[in-house]
């Protein structure tokens, strides 16, 4: 299995631009999580899905952030418009029935 | 709400020495506990987990952890550290609707440096 796949691995964009991060979960995993990691705030859960349905989005910082999971094989996290304080590493993780979350390699986002 | 405290931000040990990383949790019910490791520029990798049963759990790379309910602790140990163990280590507690451990709350991490 290829594991959780995230793209792009690095993204540099200017303030105000739209950013879309992508995640392909491990086949058969029915939970998908989006996290953000920064030096100041550590690892934060933004939102998670179960069977493609958003269960808890209480960690999404602002309306500028949105996430979708149109099918079991794909999820996106979108920031529109982006701001410099959104600069962070964004991780996607997925989980099957054994409660173990498997993390992708992350997307390092830099907003200038 | 659940929380995790990792009191040591940074630890330095010599290669071959033993290691113990501390983790204290707060959760009202029986917790699901995890240790993850993150190498620079990488995602998090699961080292081990505790759900129930034997309070001493074995993980990958020679790591083990002991769940102590009376102390609300889940400390990570390794008898002999290798230089390749240098990384950041995160403790996490799981909770969620109907005890599914869906949401993980992570500690702030402990950065391990290994000297040769």
């Amino acid at each position: 299995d290829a594991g959780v796949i995230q793209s792009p691995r690095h993204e540099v964009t200017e303030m105000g631009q739209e950013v879309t991060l992508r995640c392909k979960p491990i086949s058969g995993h029915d939970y998908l999580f989006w996290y953000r990691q920064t030096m100041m705030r550590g690892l934060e859960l933004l939102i998670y899905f179960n069977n493609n349905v958003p269960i808890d989005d209480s960690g999404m910082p602002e309306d500028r952030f949105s996430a979708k999971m149109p099918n079991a094989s794909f999820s996106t996290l979108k920031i529109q418009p982006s701001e410099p304080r959104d600069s962070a590493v964004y991780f996607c993780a997925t989980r099957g029935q054994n409660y173990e979350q498997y993390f992708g390699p992350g997307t390092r986002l830099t907003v200038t | 709400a659940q929380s995790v405290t990792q009191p040591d931000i940074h630890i330095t040990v010599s290669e071959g020495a033993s290691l113990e990383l501390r983790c204290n949790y707060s959760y009202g019910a029986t917790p699901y506990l995890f240790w993850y490791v993150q190498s620079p520029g990488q995602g998090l990798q699961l080292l081990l987990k505790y759900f129930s049963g034997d309070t001493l759990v074995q993980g990958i790379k020679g790591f083990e952890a002991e769940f102590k309910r009376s102390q609300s602790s889940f400390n990570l140990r390794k008898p002999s550290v290798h230089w390749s163990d240098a990384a950041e280590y995160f403790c996490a507690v799981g909770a969620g609707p109907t005890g599914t451990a869906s949401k993980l709350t992570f500690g702030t991490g402990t950065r391990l440096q290994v000297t040769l």
Side-chain angles (χ1 to χ4, degrees):
Chain A
D1 197 324
V4 177
I5 298 173
Q6 292 187 247
S7 64
R9 292 294 311 276
H10 302 273
E11 177 80 34
V12 180
T13 191
E14 292 184 347
M15 182 174 62
Q17 296 299 304
E18 177 179 295
V19 175
T20 299
L21 311 181
R22 297 172 176 82
C23 175
K24 177 179 171 55
I26 294 172
S27 177
H29 282 191
D30 54 358
Y31 283 86
L32 184 142
F33 305 82
W34 282 101
Y35 291 90
R36 178 172 68 176
Q37 185 178 40
T38 61
M39 289 292 293
M40 292 297 296
R41 301 176 66 89
L43 198 61
E44 305 172 278
L45 175 65
L46 300 177
I47 184 172
Y48 78 93
F49 296 82
N50 179 214
N51 292 322
N52 313 336
V53 176
I55 302 300
D56 186 342
D57 65 354
S58 59
M60 296 286 262
E62 301 172 33
D63 291 345
R64 299 185 295 108
F65 285 70
S66 63
K68 294 182 180 179
M69 192 165 185
N71 56 62
S73 302
F74 185 64
S75 178
T76 60
L77 178 67
K78 186 176 295 186
I79 308 172
Q80 167 62 19
S82 58
E83 296 182 4
R85 60 193 167 121
D86 301 331
S87 297
V89 180
Y90 291 82
F91 289 104
C92 175
T94 69
R95 199 204 90 182
Q97 294 304 310
N98 64 359
Y99 305 108
E100 299 175 7
Q101 290 190 23
Y102 294 85
F103 282 74
T107 295
R108 181 174 295 278
L109 173 64
T110 302
V111 183
T112 61
Chain B
Q2 66 272 16
S3 65
V4 175
T5 301
Q6 293 182 249
D8 304 307
I9 296 174
H10 187 202
I11 284 182
T12 300
V13 300
S14 300
E15 188 175 40
S18 63
L19 171 70
E20 183 169 29
L21 302 182
R22 296 182 291 167
C23 172
N24 292 97
Y25 69 89
S26 173
Y27 183 58
T30 300
Y32 289 13
L33 295 162
F34 306 81
W35 274 100
Y36 284 83
V37 61
Q38 184 181 29
S39 297
Q42 303 295 315
L44 279 70
Q45 180 184 21
L46 180 67
L47 285 176
L48 48 77
K49 63 184 184 290
Y50 171 80
F51 294 158
S52 64
D54 193 346
T55 56
L56 183 64
V57 294
Q58 303 296 320
I60 62 171
K61 304 185 180 185
F63 285 92
E64 66 178 28
E66 186 171 12
F67 170 61
K68 293 185 178 180
R69 184 186 299 275
S70 62
Q71 299 177 19
S72 298
S73 69
F74 188 58
N75 294 348
L76 182 71
R77 300 194 295 249
K78 186 169 186 178
S80 178
V81 170
H82 188 263
W83 64 265
S84 61
D85 293 324
E88 187 136 23
Y89 292 79
F90 293 91
C91 182
V93 62
T98 66
T100 58
S102 300
K103 293 177 64 170
L104 292 187
T105 298
F106 286 84
T108 51
T110 297
R111 182 167 299 277
L112 173 66
Q113 183 177 358
V114 180
T115 58
L116 302 177

